[in-house]
Amino acid sequence: MSATLMASRDQLYSPVAHIMRREQWEASYAADIEAILRLKQEKNAVILAHNYQTPEIFHCVADIRGDSLALARAAQSVDAATMVMAGVHFMAETAKLLNPEKTVLIPDATAGCSLAEGITADNVRELKKRYPGVPVVTYVNSTADVKAESDICCTSGNARRVVESLNVPRVIMIPDEFLARNIEAETGIEMLTWPAHCEVHERFTPLEIRQYRRIHPDLTVIAHPECPPEVLDAADHSGSTAQMIDFIDQKKPQKVLLVTECSMSDNLAAQYPQTQFVRPCNLCPHMKRITLSNIRQALETMQTEVTIPAHLQQPARLAVERMLAI
Ligand code: 13P
Ligand code: SF4
């Protein structure tokens, strides 16, 4: 290998040097990473990666990284002609809603979400009939046809602000029952909910948190608001994935348990070597469908392109834009 190539490989490897052996990185990832970087230039493309993507995607090829809110905001101001969503389908759909003229690719179109699959547009229409005049706040973890039936969207990072901005005593908050209950506890605003859950976060229990605290008495516990309310009660703090990062960046805790998807801690361990991450390993099978190899393939073949039926575009976009305006 030439000295220049070696130097650029050093640079590419450096963001994950704390968490991955060089030989493993070279053998498993280097070739795909180099091919993806070349393809991004050739195709005028950027990669958006959610915080739950694995470190070799998150740190080595992504241009924009963040929680659902940050990805939606960033999607509004991307210059490139093509966006590749290293995340799940609803995230790619949101990016497309905000950029109808751009090409949005998802490396695996079956990367779904138990929340988005937990409610249909018919269900929302029934709720609106049952509770006339009550505003519908829909978590972005939903399909475009569900968003199109909604007044406004929210993410876990802005749910409280969105709900409070409506100035009403009760809202229909769908599809995540636990997020709705957690926001109800914070705001005192009554939530009419729907029984859908995140299959990753619903599995955490207060008992598990107590057991971790027994082993690590100096532990700071931060739980995602998609967890059941009793899990948030057992934690020290709660917040979206971006709020978890801000907490670690600002407070620099010595030992932390992030009650959320597993790759989140891997990504932060690469960035914050002074913090020890205690890891419960709940993986999201949908997020894990995205790999370096299918990102490379998506750029090579320009597949799979995300499209949204014409009649849904305007109403679904309005619900997302109302959220982004807050
Ligand atoms: P945030 O990154 O917005 O906190 O969402 C978590 C999640 O589960 C996304 O699918
Ligand atoms: Fe959906 Fe939960 Fe996976 Fe996020 S972590 S994509 S909410 S199933």
Side-chain angles (χ1 to χ4, degrees):
M1 200 182 301
S2 78
T4 337
L5 204 52
M6 196 67 191
S8 70
R9 278 212 171 172
D10 285 349
Q11 257 180 1
L12 293 177
Y13 169 67
S14 69
V16 292
H18 290 299
I19 55 164
M20 223 179 264
R21 280 187 304 113
R22 176 74 180 241
E23 308 78 68
Q24 180 208 349
W25 181 87
E26 289 280 354
S28 309
Y29 306 128
D32 279 336
I33 290 169
E34 284 174 344
I36 290 168
L37 298 184
R38 178 178 43 77
L39 284 160
K40 281 201 294 184
Q41 279 198 329
E42 281 171 22
K43 306 274 173 123
N44 185 19
V46 291
I47 297 176
L48 285 71
H50 185 263
N51 292 326
Y52 294 161
Q53 291 298 297
T54 47
E56 68 283 3
I57 296 174
F58 191 80
H59 287 295
C60 301
V61 297
D63 301 283
I64 297 161
R65 307 171 182 90
D67 67 351
S68 311
L69 181 59
L71 296 184
R73 280 201 194 289
Q76 276 186 309
S77 53
V78 159
D79 279 335
T82 296
M83 283 180 250
V84 181
M85 180 56 74
V88 291
H89 195 267
F90 76 81
M91 295 177 174
E93 237 179 21
T94 306
K96 180 67 182 177
L97 278 174
L98 296 168
N99 287 281
E101 75 295 348
K102 295 208 164 138
T103 302
V104 177
L105 303 175
I106 180 130
D108 184 332
T110 66
C113 168
S114 63
L115 283 170
E117 281 139 37
I119 191 163
T120 64
D122 274 344
N123 296 147
V124 188
R125 284 188 281 270
E126 279 161 29
L127 282 169
K128 290 200 290 191
K129 236 186 260 162
R130 206 181 313 153
Y131 304 107
V134 180
V136 179
V137 178
T138 296
Y139 198 28
V140 283
N141 299 39
S142 51
T143 55
D145 55 349
V146 165
K147 287 186 176 76
E149 290 294 332
S150 312
D151 294 295
I152 188 165
C153 285
C154 74
T155 71
S156 52
N158 65 12
R160 181 178 182 157
R161 258 179 297 145
V162 167
V163 165
E164 286 181 337
S165 77
L166 300 173
N167 272 319
V168 289
R170 65 178 188 163
V171 300
I172 298 169
M173 191 166 187
I174 52 168
D176 188 342
E177 182 181 14
F178 294 148
L179 177 70
R181 288 282 163 247
N182 289 324
I183 298 298
E184 183 176 58
E186 275 184 41
T187 60
I189 296 167
E190 185 191 348
M191 299 288 161
L192 305 166
T193 68
W194 186 257
H197 304 134
C198 162
E199 67 189 83
V200 175
H201 293 94
E202 73 176 348
R203 300 208 307 266
F204 292 108
T205 63
L207 174 66
E208 204 179 343
I209 294 180
R210 283 197 296 274
Q211 282 167 342
Y212 278 112
R213 285 201 201 271
R214 216 167 291 140
I215 305 166
H216 308 278
D218 51 345
L219 194 61
T220 303
V221 180
I222 316 176
H224 195 278
E226 288 172 11
C227 295
E230 58 276 19
V231 171
L232 263 66
D233 289 343
D236 300 305
H237 306 280
S238 71
S240 74
T241 57
Q243 289 160 345
M244 290 179 180
I245 300 174
D246 288 347
F247 184 94
I248 287 156
D249 192 64
Q250 285 158 26
K251 308 272 188 221
K252 311 219 172 345
Q254 276 195 339
K255 208 184 263 187
V256 79
L257 170 68
L258 300 180
V259 189
T260 191
E261 214 266 356
C262 205
S263 292
M264 181 77 199
S265 296
D266 297 337
N267 287 329
L268 289 177
Q271 256 171 298
Y272 298 95
Q274 82 285 0
T275 296
Q276 187 190 332
F277 291 86
V278 174
R279 285 163 222 215
C281 209
N282 283 5
L283 286 172
C284 172
H286 312 289
M287 288 280 178
K288 263 53 248 187
R289 285 187 179 277
I290 309 300
T291 61
L292 277 181
S293 141
N294 61 23
I295 292 174
R296 177 179 180 170
Q297 206 179 7
L299 283 164
E300 280 166 351
T301 60
M302 297 299 279
Q303 296 289 333
T304 299
E305 193 175 340
V306 175
T307 55
I308 297 167
H311 69 287
L312 298 176
Q313 289 176 19
Q314 197 264 348
R317 184 179 311 126
L318 192 61
V320 177
E321 283 177 347
R322 282 191 182 132
M323 165 187 87
L324 293 174
I326 287 176

